């Protein structure tokens, strides 16, 4: 059902309460999501901004038809063409095949690569290109935002209704909502999901995010709404979410240390807990969290790593290698290209014991700075061993950069 979000704009997207996995199995979504599409009517022009994920294509077009005669849509704006936003385009275009589609040049290439269309009327745009909306005096202006988070991404700015930035994935969250606006939801929960979204999807492109936020700020656009393509629309906390993006994109770290481990017979777990004790003994203000990589959600762990000053990672040695969970997580950590973070590594072993050194090497390759030499534990830690491990935790805490 369409929902009015401003004088000239209706939300015409799809709320997906059931979604638990996104990007295949790469991303967990604890609060569902939404695929936000918007219908703008101004100055006699009717414009659709983005569509929805492919499984909902027929439902989307059918509901859109209840809101507008599809033939009245003057043009479509595709801010980004990953399938969660462009998936309903083929179904829609089968109804209105001659309708112009405005997108970046990369956007056109991606649409062609995904759907192999024939005869669609692409109009490629660049930053600063603008379309007047009839005689209203209002316009749509395009702002390219490459790698936020795909090469084709752009924002679209509507000058009417106090200024609306259709930002697509940027400022979004996987958060299903009936109310649509952040001030109608639990704000803390929304910010937590925005952070998880940033950490898992955008962190890798933080330099581009930092530059784009600075560019947007310098443009000094009037903004009554930031309307992303997932989750809530921002209206009461626009400066706050922009400020969060500024901070998150700039070597973000809270006063936290995260200990991530895997364990076969609990020896590495005992080490993890002793290290946590040792950190708290000398740095009680540091928040320490522990996560079993094989049991806890990988995307929540990545979020915790993103917001921490240091990652202390532990694993037993298995066939001269690491466990599946730690090995996989290390690959994901490397992909985030985090800057300014510290690390340490530990683990128990029975004979060869390469695990901790392998972790440290992988984390250094991922850009982390080691705080101490890796700590190895032969078999099960005794009380003196645990005392040594606590001391290791204290050594890590003392070595944390100011
Ligand atoms: Fe929500 Fe990059 O698609």
């Amino acid at each position: 059902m369409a929902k009015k979000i401003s004088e000239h704009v209706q939300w015409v997207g799809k709320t997906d309460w059931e979604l638990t996995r996104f990007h295949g199995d790469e991303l967990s979504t604890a609060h569902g999501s939404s695929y936000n599409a918007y219908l703008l009517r101004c100055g006699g022009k009717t414009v659709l901004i983005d569509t929805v994920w492919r499984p909902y294509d027929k439902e989307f077009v059918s509901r859109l038809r209840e809101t507008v005669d599809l033939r009245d849509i003057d043009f479509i704006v595709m801010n980004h063409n990953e399938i969660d936003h462009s998936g309903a385009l083929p179904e829609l275009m089968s109804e209105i095949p001659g309708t112009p589609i405005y997108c970046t040049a990369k956007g056109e290439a991606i649409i062609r690569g995904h759907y192999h269309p024939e005869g669609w009327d692409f109009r490629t745009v660049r930053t600063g290109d603008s379309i007047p909306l009839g005689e209203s005096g209002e316009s749509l202006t395009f702002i390219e935002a490459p790698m936020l988070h795909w090469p084709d991404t752009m924002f679209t700015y509507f000058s009417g209704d106090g200024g609306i930035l259709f930002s697509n994935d940027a400022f979004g969250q996987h958060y299903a909502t009936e109310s649509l606006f952040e001030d109608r939801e639990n704000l803390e929960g929304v910010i937590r999901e925005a952070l998880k979204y940033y950490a898992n999807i955008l962190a890798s492109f933080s330099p581009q995010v930092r530059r784009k936020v600075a560019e947007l700020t310098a443009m000094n656009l009037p903004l009554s709404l930031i309307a992303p393509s997932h989750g809530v629309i921002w209206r009461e906390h626009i400066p706050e979410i922009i400020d969060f993006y500024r901070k998150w994109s700039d070597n973000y770290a809270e006063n936290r240390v995260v200990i991530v481990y895997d364990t076969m017979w609990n020896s590495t777990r005992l080490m993890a807990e002793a290290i946590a004790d040792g950190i708290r003994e000398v740095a009680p203000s540091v928040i320490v969290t522990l996560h079993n990589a094989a049991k806890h959600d990988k995307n929540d762990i990545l979020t915790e790593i993103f917001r921490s000053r240091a990652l202390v990672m532990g694993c037993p040695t298995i066939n001269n290698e690491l466990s599946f969970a730690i090995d996989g997580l290390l690959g994901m950590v490397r992909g985030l290209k985090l800057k300014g973070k510290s690390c340490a590594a530990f683990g128990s072993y029975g004979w060869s014991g390469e695990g901790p050194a392998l972790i440290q090497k992988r984390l250094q390759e991922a850009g982390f700075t080691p705080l101490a030499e890796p700590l190895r534990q032969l078999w099960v830690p005794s009380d003196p061993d645990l005392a040594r491990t606590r001391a290791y935790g204290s050594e890590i805490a003392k070595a944390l950069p100011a």
Side-chain angles (χ1 to χ4, degrees):
M1 189 180 77
K3 299 176 185 176
K4 185 171 178 172
I5 65 163
S6 70
E7 185 182 345
H8 295 98
V9 181
Q10 287 172 288
W11 176 91
V12 290
K14 170 66 187 174
T15 306
D16 189 345
W17 293 93
E18 294 185 355
L19 190 77
T20 57
R21 289 284 184 273
F22 193 74
H23 285 156
D25 197 36
E26 286 303 294
L27 183 63
S28 63
T29 54
H31 298 279
S33 192
S34 63
Y35 319 107
N36 298 336
Y38 301 95
L39 188 72
L40 186 156
R41 283 184 265 217
C42 183
K45 298 290 182 190
T46 301
V47 184
L48 177 69
I49 299 174
D50 295 327
T51 73
V52 303
W53 190 23
R54 194 154 202 179
Y56 302 105
D57 59 354
K58 289 185 171 51
E59 178 182 335
F60 169 73
V61 171
S62 163
R63 290 191 171 185
L64 190 62
R65 195 183 282 113
E66 293 168 11
T67 306
V68 63
D69 184 332
L70 300 180
R71 292 166 302 183
D72 289 344
I73 296 174
D74 291 288
F75 58 94
I76 299 164
V77 172
M78 291 303 303
N79 279 326
H80 164 48
N81 295 284
E82 196 166 2
I83 294 175
D84 52 328
H85 307 298
S86 67
L89 204 49
E91 181 70 18
L92 181 62
M93 294 306 284
S94 71
E95 302 271 348
I96 47 172
T99 308
I101 298 170
Y102 286 81
C103 60
T104 60
K106 291 263 171 47
E108 178 181 346
I110 289 170
I111 292 172
R112 289 190 185 282
H114 279 66
Y115 308 113
H116 317 293
E118 289 182 13
W120 291 7
D121 179 6
F122 289 100
R123 313 275 177 96
T124 57
V125 295
R126 307 206 60 165
T127 294
D129 289 349
S130 193
I131 301 177
L133 296 169
E135 301 300 314
S136 65
E138 307 298 354
S139 60
L140 287 178
T141 303
F142 305 108
I143 304 165
E144 290 169 277
M147 305 321 296
L148 269 73
H149 68 125
W150 270 26
D152 66 322
T153 302
M154 68 175 186
F155 302 158
T156 298
Y157 178 73
F158 172 48
S159 61
D161 298 353
I164 302 177
L165 184 71
F166 297 98
S167 60
N168 202 269
D169 285 328
F171 309 113
Q173 340 82 47
H174 286 303
Y175 189 96
T177 165
E178 269 302 310
S179 64
L180 287 187
F181 293 101
E182 95 285 22
D183 55 298
R184 304 277 301 279
E185 296 290 333
N186 175 311
L187 187 61
E188 199 178 323
V190 171
I191 299 285
R192 193 163 47 241
E193 288 304 317
L195 172 64
K196 178 175 175 177
Y197 193 100
Y198 187 95
N200 284 274
I201 293 178
L202 286 162
S204 187
F205 307 109
S206 281
Q208 291 93 329
V209 174
R210 199 159 56 240
R211 284 196 294 273
K212 192 53 57 180
V213 168
E215 184 187 324
L216 274 179
T217 306
M219 290 168 89
N220 208 19
L221 297 168
L223 277 179
S224 67
L225 299 176
I226 292 181
S229 57
H230 298 289
V232 300
I233 296 165
W234 303 93
R235 65 177 174 189
E236 294 295 331
H237 300 85
I238 289 173
E240 287 93 330
I241 189 62
I242 291 176
D243 203 42
F244 273 125
Y245 263 55
R246 191 176 292 118
K247 289 179 190 158
W248 293 342
S249 62
D250 192 13
N251 301 345
Y252 184 70
E254 299 171 30
N255 192 19
R256 306 170 77 93
V257 171
V258 57
I259 302 174
V260 181
Y261 64 93
D262 199 354
T263 192
M264 292 175 75
W265 298 106
N266 280 327
S267 295
T268 303
R269 176 180 65 76
L270 288 170
M271 294 179 78
E273 292 172 2
I275 289 168
D277 286 343
I279 295 171
R280 277 190 292 264
E281 274 172 26
V282 300
S285 65
V286 175
I287 295 170
V288 181
T289 60
L290 288 87
H291 303 271
N292 182 318
K295 294 184 179 179
H296 293 178
D297 182 278
K298 64 185 183 305
N299 304 106
D300 289 338
I301 294 174
L302 286 175
T303 307
E304 195 61 40
I305 293 169
F306 174 78
R307 67 195 293 210
S308 294
R309 296 165 70 187
L311 165 60
V312 184
M313 195 171 240
C315 189
T317 301
I318 304 168
N319 297 333
N320 310 106
E321 279 291 341
L322 301 171
S323 74
F324 180 77
I326 290 294
D327 195 45
L329 201 59
L330 278 165
M332 296 183 89
V333 168
R334 183 188 176 99
L336 296 187
K337 303 180 180 68
L338 302 175
K339 299 274 190 299
K341 305 236 183 260
S342 304
C343 70
F346 64 97
S348 79
Y349 68 103
W351 48 101
S352 63
E354 294 92 338
L358 280 173
I359 291 173
Q360 188 111 319
K361 179 171 179 287
R362 298 267 303 270
L363 286 175
Q364 283 187 259
E365 288 168 357
F368 286 64
T369 304
L371 297 169
E373 289 298 312
L375 179 67
R376 300 197 314 166
Q377 169 64 54
L378 182 62
W379 302 120
V380 177
S382 64
D383 286 346
D385 291 329
L386 288 174
R388 177 179 73 115
T389 311
R390 277 195 297 279
Y392 182 71
S394 298
E395 180 189 342
I396 289 169
K398 287 176 191 163
L400 278 171

